[in-house]
Amino acid sequence: MKGIVFNIQKFCVNDGPGIRTTVFLKGCPLRCKWCHNPESYIKNPQLCYEDFKCVKCGKCVSVCPQKCHWFDENGVHHIDREKCIACGKCVSECMAQALKITGKSMTAEEVIEKVLQDKIFYETSGGGLTISGGEPFFQPDFTLELLKLAKREKIHTCVETSGCVDFKNISKCLPYIDLLLWDIKETDPILHKEYTGGDFNLVLENLKKVCDKKIPIILRRPIIPKHNDRIENENFIENLIKTNDNIISVQKMPYHNLGIHKSVSHGMKKQKDYSI
Amino acid sequence: MFCFKENELRKNKISWFFLEGFVHMIDENPSVREGYARYNMYTKLPIYINPNEKIVGNMNWALSNELIYNNVANQEINEYNLNLFRESEDFTRTEKAVVEGYIRKIKPYTLNDIEDRLSPDEQKISRSSAGGSNHFNGHMIVDYDKILKIGLGGYRELLENYMKESETERDYHFYNGLLYALKGLQEYIYKHAEMAQYLLDNKVEGYNQEDLEMIIYNCKKISNEAPESFIEALQLFWFIFMAADYDSYGRFDKTMYSFYMNDRKHISDEVLESYLKYFLNKGEQNRGILNMTIGGTECDGSSSVNELTWLILKAVSDLGYKSPNLCVRIDADSDQKLYERVHYNLSKGQAIPALYNDKIIIPMLIAMGIEKEDAYNYSLAGCSQVIIPGKSNFCCDVGVYNVLKILELTLHDGYDKRIDEQVSIHTGKIEDFDTFDKLYKAYDEQMMYVIEKGVSINNKDVLFRKDMPSSIRTLFTEGCIENAKAIFEGGAVYNAVQSEVIGLTNTANALYAIKKMVYDDKKITLKELVSALDCNFKGYEELQSTLKNKVDKFGNDCEEVDSIRANIGKRFYEYLSEFDGPIGGKHWAGEVIFQSHMNLAPFTLASADGRFDYEPLADSAGAAQGTDVNGPTALIKSVTKIPYTYPTISRNLNLKFPKDLFREEKDKIIALFRAYFKLEGCQLQINVVDKEELLKAQQNPENYKNLVVRIGGYNDYFVEIPKEMQDEVISRTGQNI
């Protein structure tokens, strides 16, 4: 089975216990305005172009079968994102490393092979595999396959989710998950909808269902200045912890603005800087 | 005889008195010649005692063997020092003329003309930089345990007995020469008591009466007797350490343990700690590499960690000096408490201690023919060379091989384009290499030829030293007195010739790039590739970028390139160790690269790993600069694929961590260390800094005077290393996420 992976990052020390390898899956139901990984919005591979690296050699123009690349009279490099099929022909020609494809179709076995390379570090540190994204349950069958393979190798598993998905997709993976990292982005349903595009009631409903299954959960709360850093959110989360034994802790995730650069390089509308 | 200004000591920079003594005895037996030279130097050197000192001896480097052989013997350093001396205002014209006369006379007895002694073929290989000698005297640890046990008087008795019983005139002279050196050293120590007495009697301002009384007592006593207290032992240790090269303190926690424990019965811990700090301060003032080994495992499997181990770790961290170059012997299963203390020290940004894996090094030493008991007693010296304290002469760092140059010669049929000369054998034109295997075979033949020439160059280099008895090392190394053989005659219990092997990582990356681009993917012909290398990628910028950025590199846990690295390394070590050393033992390799990866750069033209002409080579056993892009776990996996069952004298890995991550993730960092050792990693050294901090330090050196970084087994103040080396430290990828 194949899934779309946009990064496999080793020596992750912030995505669960111990030294971990985090597998980032592409595709997400939410559109958080401050998203750190906007390149994970859509599931399919995408062309990433970093203007500052481009040396304007024009090689990409000549190899592109879709004629997406063009330079205007001022020498500015344009990419017609509508036409791009992310074939990667321009990437192999680009010596300046300005172009790359974000998202790669990989089999679960290929991914696990990479994850297993660091098994000894999981053993000495109590670490393992973390599946993140995007939204892992947006590729539920692939996530399930990865988890099964990891458990077969006796590797600790952790999934980071927004919880904003159909519960049956979460449910079928639960037997293979040792720890859930559950995002609470905003607790006011109206603001939640505004900031993320998702339904907070679904997040909450799913969280309650998961709590019944006795899976350890760490809540993750991104702190976006002047947006969701209100005391009401803090109180709501504290109450969640009090009423659910299997919620171990809450982890505050400070905002960083690396998403801005990524939104531009993937041809999206430039993200707002929430640090200002 | 006494001197009151520190700069008067500098007059002795070029060992004036040593030269005088040497010339005086120039026609005598080599042992007598050198022994007398030392006697003359020790007895005539001015004595200087700093106010507030409890441990005395400030010879700077005037007494050092290094000086005598490297400064008189090494042409390059010699020329440099001679020019300094000639321009110096410390000497009168007459004095200068006298010294110049000495130098002329001593020249035939030094390594000055070593290149002329080589055969034409050897000279060519040496010129190309593929294989040659550092003309370095090697690192040593003298038998501190025995010195502290029997005292200098005990050695004197031993020598006199051997002298009496010597059967040949040569042996008699051999012992007599050593006796000269020993007597000189004893007198030198005693003179410190006299100097202190003088200061006391004349109530010289700034000196503390109690301190002076202690110095008088200690120096009088240890000039002949064995020390009893901790401070006496430290004082004697210091004198011997200076005389024996400022190289390594050996297993200091083990050697000093009984003195420390005895004193604890009647002296407070604070006072003993202050003595230790005075001692460490002496080292810092006098500079040098100053290796100190602590911790480890005993032969019976018990831990060697003792009360003094903890105290040393604490004192080193409190003081925050760049010295000593602290080495902790450890393994994957060592006590968590020890790992935590090491983590604490490192997290302060001091870059020491470095960690050495007992479970790898000890079995390797045993496999190399060293007795179990001695293997368990190994210690580090120099940058991080493995030594058997008091028993070995491994001629560390004597040889140096540039493996990337070997590949360069392979691609040019033995021709060195840099110097326009056929320096090596013909192993085929590139047109002949229609398969990768044929190219590899040619590389292998070149490698064998270079090793053969390198071995004979280094054998000559080592053998030449047989007339340089290195009295102090000879005197205090087990086997030398007993066998009536100087250290470079093979007197020590264990001998070997150890060479640094540089460029294995670049070579593996380059071979893999050639395999992939030329033979597997057929994107370019070998001829085109070599043309690109020959013009330093001018007009081939795209190819250079592809080679550098798009081809897998060693250090990322990529099987194919890692296995090339492992195989060429293993092959090199194995072939080198087939050769016997000239004074016993074998030729051994090491990847403990202090600055050779920089020094060899000007000799090495562009390579197929996308490296330009004259760019630095990869340091130690790590990845090439900036090419390990998958974080520390992948780098560790790659490095530990290099097999460790072959004779190598330490193989170093530098890891650099940003300070915040290193501090906040203590448990995970320790788990990373344990995994490295479990994977049979040999040595680990850590820099805790961030790239931005280094860049800031480069811009505002005045604010970063205490920033210490590690450079291949050795650490130094970042702001004091040259700009190119600073850039190199910066470019070594910070394992930052």
Side-chain angles (χ1 to χ4, degrees):
Chain A
M1 179 186 293
K2 286 195 164 190
I4 309 293
V5 178
F6 74 95
N7 196 7
I8 298 176
Q9 193 172 313
K10 292 174 174 179
F11 193 63
C12 287
V13 292
N14 293 315
D15 299 333
I19 296 170
R20 311 192 72 83
T21 297
T22 303
V23 175
F24 294 89
L25 302 188
K26 215 161 159 343
C28 185
L30 300 185
R31 292 291 178 269
C32 302
K33 292 186 166 179
W34 53 73
C35 183
H36 292 176
N37 295 327
E39 75 273 32
S40 70
Y41 282 172
I42 63 165
K43 192 181 160 189
N44 290 331
Q46 276 169 288
L47 184 65
C48 168
Y49 164 69
E50 290 172 299
D51 190 57
F52 70 96
K53 290 184 185 166
C54 177
V55 293
K56 319 219 180 289
C57 67
K59 273 267 162 80
C60 48
V61 179
S62 59
V63 297
C64 180
Q66 298 292 105
K67 308 278 171 243
C68 311
H69 296 275
W70 56 283
F71 287 81
D72 65 22
E73 59 274 18
N74 300 320
V76 178
H77 187 168
H78 297 272
I79 297 169
D80 189 337
R81 300 273 176 179
E82 296 285 302
K83 283 201 269 178
C84 178
I85 51 165
C87 67
K89 290 218 164 70
C90 57
V91 175
S92 42
E93 288 301 320
C94 181
M95 294 305 158
Q97 319 276 322
L99 292 163
K100 66 172 190 222
I101 299 289
T102 303
K104 186 180 170 192
S105 173
M106 294 177 83
T107 65
E109 287 76 13
E110 283 170 338
V111 173
I112 289 297
E113 196 186 326
K114 286 249 173 212
V115 172
L116 280 174
Q117 285 188 314
D118 275 9
K119 195 171 182 188
I120 189 152
F121 301 98
Y122 313 147
E123 286 165 8
T124 57
S125 70
L129 162 71
T130 296
I131 307 175
S132 180
E135 168 55 60
F137 297 121
F138 209 57
Q139 295 188 43
D141 296 331
F142 188 64
T143 296
L144 177 63
E145 190 64 20
L146 287 178
L147 290 168
K148 278 184 178 170
L149 289 172
K151 285 326 289 181
R152 197 181 294 166
E153 297 288 344
K154 301 197 168 36
I155 291 176
H156 181 273
T157 58
C158 190
V159 176
E160 178 176 25
T161 177
S162 66
C164 205
V165 290
D166 189 340
F167 184 71
K168 71 173 197 299
N169 289 336
I170 303 178
S171 169
K172 63 183 178 191
C173 293
L174 286 179
Y176 307 97
I177 296 175
D178 295 316
L179 175 71
L180 272 166
L181 304 176
W182 194 285
D183 293 359
I184 302 286
K185 300 169 198 289
E186 170 59 60
T187 62
D188 177 314
I190 295 166
L191 286 174
H192 192 274
K193 186 85 191 164
E194 188 194 326
Y195 292 155
T196 74
D199 177 5
F200 182 63
N201 290 326
L202 177 63
V203 176
L204 205 58
E205 219 175 274
N206 284 341
L207 180 63
K208 284 187 177 139
K209 285 183 194 161
V210 170
C211 284
D212 292 341
K213 306 268 184 189
K214 302 293 169 209
I215 301 236
I217 299 167
I218 294 175
L219 298 180
R220 289 191 150 196
R221 185 182 164 213
I223 306 292
I224 314 302
K226 293 187 221 129
H227 283 73
N228 66 1
D229 52 350
R230 289 165 298 114
I231 187 78
E232 292 87 339
N233 283 334
E234 181 128 9
N235 294 340
F236 190 99
I237 289 171
E238 251 174 51
N239 195 43
L240 275 178
I241 297 180
K242 268 185 214 151
T243 49
N244 293 286
D245 288 346
N246 43 337
I247 299 181
I248 307 164
S249 62
V250 58
Q251 205 180 349
K252 288 184 184 172
M253 314 294 287
Y255 170 75
H256 65 70
N257 61 12
L258 292 178
I260 301 172
H261 170 70
K262 293 188 199 172
S263 65
V264 175
S265 60
H266 288 82
M268 292 172 228
K269 190 169 159 254
K270 186 174 176 178
Q271 210 179 64
K272 191 181 155 204
D273 190 343
Y274 291 88
S275 63
I276 318 170
Chain B
M1 164 180 178
F2 299 142
C3 95
F4 293 95
K5 277 191 253 129
E6 217 171 352
N7 65 8
E8 282 181 43
L9 285 171
R10 293 199 192 103
K11 269 200 173 188
N12 299 290
K13 240 183 175 173
I14 62 153
S15 295
W16 171 297
F17 299 118
F18 180 88
L19 295 174
E20 186 185 70
F22 197 100
V23 170
H24 186 72
M25 289 282 191
I26 203 143
D27 297 324
E28 297 294 323
N29 162 294
S31 177
V32 172
R33 187 167 61 209
E34 193 201 295
Y36 183 79
R38 282 182 183 274
Y39 176 80
N40 197 56
M41 173 173 72
Y42 291 144
T43 50
K44 289 185 180 169
L45 269 176
I47 305 293
Y48 180 72
I49 293 175
N50 278 306
N52 302 318
E53 272 190 331
K54 288 184 168 52
I55 296 170
V56 293
N58 287 287
M59 297 171 271
N60 291 332
W61 32 295
L63 280 188
S64 154
N65 209 4
E66 279 282 284
L67 164 89
I68 293 160
Y69 288 119
N70 270 350
N71 289 10
V72 180
N74 185 310
Q75 195 152 12
E76 207 175 308
I77 303 173
N78 195 14
E79 284 300 319
Y80 174 77
N81 279 293
L82 268 182
N83 286 335
L84 277 187
F85 161 72
R86 284 172 185 140
E87 288 158 18
S88 160
E89 287 170 13
D90 295 341
F91 296 86
T92 65
R93 271 174 67 183
T94 333
E95 285 172 328
K96 283 183 189 178
V98 173
V99 173
E100 293 264 7
Y102 291 159
I103 288 168
R104 263 198 307 280
K105 282 194 179 151
I106 200 173
K107 215 178 166 196
Y109 300 90
T110 69
L111 286 174
N112 259 319
D113 304 319
I114 182 82
E115 295 286 329
D116 300 342
R117 295 161 208 261
L118 304 180
S119 74
D121 285 349
E122 289 162 1
Q123 285 182 11
K124 283 180 196 162
I125 288 299
S126 176
R127 264 202 297 279
S128 78
S129 87
S133 170
N134 280 324
H135 307 317
F136 179 61
N137 215 25
H139 298 295
M140 295 272 302
I141 303 169
V142 296
D143 196 346
Y144 289 108
D145 290 332
K146 187 169 172 184
I147 296 166
L148 296 180
K149 194 175 163 205
I150 69 170
L152 296 183
Y155 270 95
R156 194 152 163 175
E157 233 170 83
L158 261 177
L159 274 181
E160 282 164 352
N161 282 338
Y162 272 103
M163 236 170 110
K164 247 187 267 165
E165 286 165 22
S166 53
E167 286 165 5
T168 64
E169 202 180 329
R170 182 257 164 216
D171 288 359
Y172 180 85
H173 288 311
F174 171 76
Y175 293 119
N176 195 22
L178 297 183
L179 195 57
Y180 266 129
L182 179 62
K183 277 185 194 163
L185 187 57
Q186 287 185 291
E187 214 168 295
Y188 180 76
I189 296 171
Y190 194 85
K191 279 199 318 189
H192 282 81
E194 292 178 342
M195 173 74 180
Q197 189 70 52
Y198 176 89
L199 293 167
L200 189 66
D201 294 348
N202 292 281
K203 297 196 169 52
V204 178
E205 208 180 317
Y207 290 87
N208 176 308
Q209 187 189 333
E210 268 177 44
D211 289 351
L212 290 173
E213 282 167 354
M214 182 169 81
I215 291 164
I216 295 164
Y217 178 83
N218 290 348
C219 290
K220 276 189 180 167
K221 178 168 174 180
I222 59 154
S223 68
N224 197 51
E225 286 169 50
E228 284 169 286
S229 68
F230 190 52
I231 187 80
E232 287 163 20
L234 288 170
Q235 179 66 73
L236 180 58
F237 201 114
W238 177 246
F239 277 120
I240 304 299
F241 180 69
M242 279 192 296
D245 259 13
Y246 295 108
D247 192 326
S248 172
Y249 300 106
R251 298 183 71 190
F252 196 71
D253 55 347
K254 194 170 185 229
T255 302
M256 298 301 288
Y257 184 62
S258 60
F259 296 99
Y260 174 70
M261 290 311 278
N262 275 341
D263 273 17
R264 275 187 95 186
K265 291 172 199 153
H266 51 270
I267 299 178
S268 76
D269 284 355
E270 291 72 35
V271 171
L272 292 175
E273 184 177 329
S274 77
Y275 289 165
L276 177 66
K277 285 180 176 171
Y278 280 114
F279 180 84
L280 294 172
N281 185 40
K282 292 304 285 189
E284 180 71 4
Q285 281 170 6
N286 285 273
R287 294 294 173 103
I289 291 178
L290 316 178
N291 230 298
M292 181 185 278
T293 302
I294 56 173
T297 337
E298 292 301 298
C299 217
D300 62 8
S302 63
S303 169
S304 317
V305 175
N306 61 36
E307 288 85 341
L308 199 49
T309 317
W310 301 110
L311 187 66
I312 291 167
L313 280 161
K314 176 182 182 295
V316 165
S317 165
D318 287 353
L319 293 170
Y321 298 149
K322 80 157 200 171
S323 74
N325 188 6
L326 195 63
C327 306
V328 174
R329 284 177 42 179
I330 208 162
D331 63 57
D333 305 315
S334 291
D335 192 6
Q336 180 72 4
K337 222 175 100 195
L338 182 60
Y339 271 109
E340 284 182 6
R341 177 73 225 196
V342 164
H343 176 271
Y344 176 81
N345 278 32
L346 289 169
S347 71
K348 290 177 80 182
Q350 216 183 346
I352 42 177
L355 307 178
Y356 292 80
N357 191 354
D358 268 11
K359 292 224 167 115
I360 291 307
I361 294 171
I362 293 166
M364 177 194 78
L365 289 169
I366 292 171
M368 284 155 98
I370 287 163
E371 293 292 325
K372 188 177 171 196
E373 196 182 315
D374 294 332
Y376 271 85
N377 198 34
Y378 84 88
S379 174
L380 290 310
C383 298
S384 19
Q385 279 81 4
V386 174
I387 299 261
I388 309 301
K391 286 191 174 183
S392 62
N393 179 19
F394 289 163
C395 302
C396 304
D397 276 352
V398 163
V400 56
Y401 293 91
N402 179 356
V403 183
L404 191 58
K405 190 75 192 182
I406 298 176
L407 180 60
E408 187 189 315
L409 295 177
T410 310
L411 294 173
H412 296 88
D413 195 17
Y415 191 82
D416 186 349
K417 277 201 57 162
R418 189 184 66 86
I419 49 174
D420 269 326
E421 192 181 348
Q422 182 73 31
V423 293
S424 188
I425 48 169
H426 293 280
T427 47
K429 302 261 179 234
I430 41 176
E431 293 80 4
D432 305 334
F433 305 142
D434 53 356
T435 63
F436 179 73
D437 288 347
K438 285 185 186 165
L439 169 70
Y440 189 81
K441 193 170 161 280
Y443 159 80
D444 200 57
E445 284 168 23
Q446 290 286 351
M447 182 214 71
M448 288 163 73
Y449 178 78
V450 167
I451 287 182
E452 284 153 25
K453 293 297 152 218
V455 162
S456 70
I457 292 169
N458 288 309
N459 285 352
K460 286 183 183 175
D461 197 284
V462 170
L463 277 178
F464 185 71
R465 295 160 207 263
K466 72 181 191 319
D467 288 342
M468 297 172 159
S470 299
S471 327
I472 298 297
R473 289 176 166 195
T474 296
L475 187 55
F476 298 128
T477 300
E478 191 182 317
C480 293
I481 301 182
E482 294 84 342
N483 299 326
K485 272 186 183 170
I487 197 90
F488 280 102
E489 290 177 303
V493 176
Y494 301 111
N495 293 284
V497 179
Q498 187 251 316
S499 299
E500 291 305 334
V501 182
I502 290 128
L504 283 164
T505 293
N506 298 90
T507 306
N509 286 342
L511 278 170
Y512 176 70
I514 294 172
K515 181 173 182 295
K516 180 118 180 81
M517 297 285 287
V518 176
Y519 297 102
D520 294 352
D521 299 353
K522 300 193 170 39
K523 285 200 171 159
I524 186 174
T525 65
L526 186 58
K527 198 166 181 188
E528 284 171 299
L529 179 64
V530 174
S531 307
L533 299 180
D534 286 350
C535 59
N536 195 22
F537 296 112
K538 204 169 235 166
Y540 294 89
E541 286 76 12
E542 286 179 16
L543 176 65
Q544 188 274 338
S545 166
T546 306
L547 291 169
K548 188 159 181 79
N549 302 312
K550 294 200 171 173
V551 181
D552 286 346
K553 296 280 183 299
F554 171 77
N556 297 291
D557 205 3
C558 299
E559 199 46 45
E560 210 175 342
V561 59
D562 288 357
S563 68
I564 293 180
R565 174 70 169 79
N567 289 337
I568 61 170
K570 180 182 148 191
R571 173 83 180 112
F572 197 99
Y573 309 146
E574 279 185 328
Y575 191 63
L576 184 64
S577 64
E578 281 180 22
F579 293 87
D580 290 329
I583 55 170
K586 293 274 184 188
H587 279 261
W588 289 342
E591 292 188 48
V592 186
I593 291 138
F594 163 41
Q595 51 189 15
S596 297
H597 63 299
M598 309 286 287
N599 296 348
L600 289 172
F603 296 90
T604 318
L605 299 175
S607 43
D609 53 346
R611 187 189 137 276
F612 287 108
D613 285 356
Y614 316 134
E615 271 194 305
L617 281 68
D619 93 298
S620 300
Q625 293 78 353
T627 59
D628 53 324
V629 292
N630 285 345
T633 57
L635 178 59
I636 284 173
K637 285 287 302 293
S638 287
V639 169
T640 52
K641 284 176 201 169
I642 308 171
Y644 212 84
T645 43
Y646 303 94
T648 54
I649 297 270
S650 197
R651 215 169 37 215
N652 292 8
L653 175 64
N654 286 305
L655 286 182
K656 192 157 66 180
F657 291 95
K659 196 181 253 174
D660 46 353
L661 180 138
F662 190 86
R663 286 187 171 173
E664 288 157 20
E665 301 293 348
K666 181 183 84 183
D667 291 340
K668 292 170 194 176
I669 295 287
I670 292 174
L672 188 78
F673 293 173
R674 285 192 193 272
Y676 173 70
F677 292 128
K678 224 174 205 164
L679 285 165
E680 308 197 331
C682 173
Q683 189 263 18
L684 192 57
Q685 51 197 34
I686 310 292
N687 278 311
V688 179
V689 280
D690 51 42
K691 215 170 216 173
E692 274 152 7
E693 199 171 329
L694 290 175
L695 289 168
K696 273 191 222 154
Q698 221 173 17
Q699 244 117 65
N700 310 299
E702 62 281 4
N703 299 335
Y704 287 90
K705 285 190 177 145
N706 59 347
L707 180 60
V708 177
V709 290
R710 275 196 165 266
I711 311 147
Y714 165 77
N715 42 294
D716 207 338
Y717 294 113
F718 180 78
V719 299
E720 283 179 25
I721 60 177
K723 168 98 181 11
E724 305 79 68
M725 206 177 246
Q726 288 183 348
D727 289 343
E728 207 267 324
V729 171
I730 293 171
S731 80
R732 242 191 268 149
T733 321
Q735 272 76 17
N736 205 343
I737 301 295

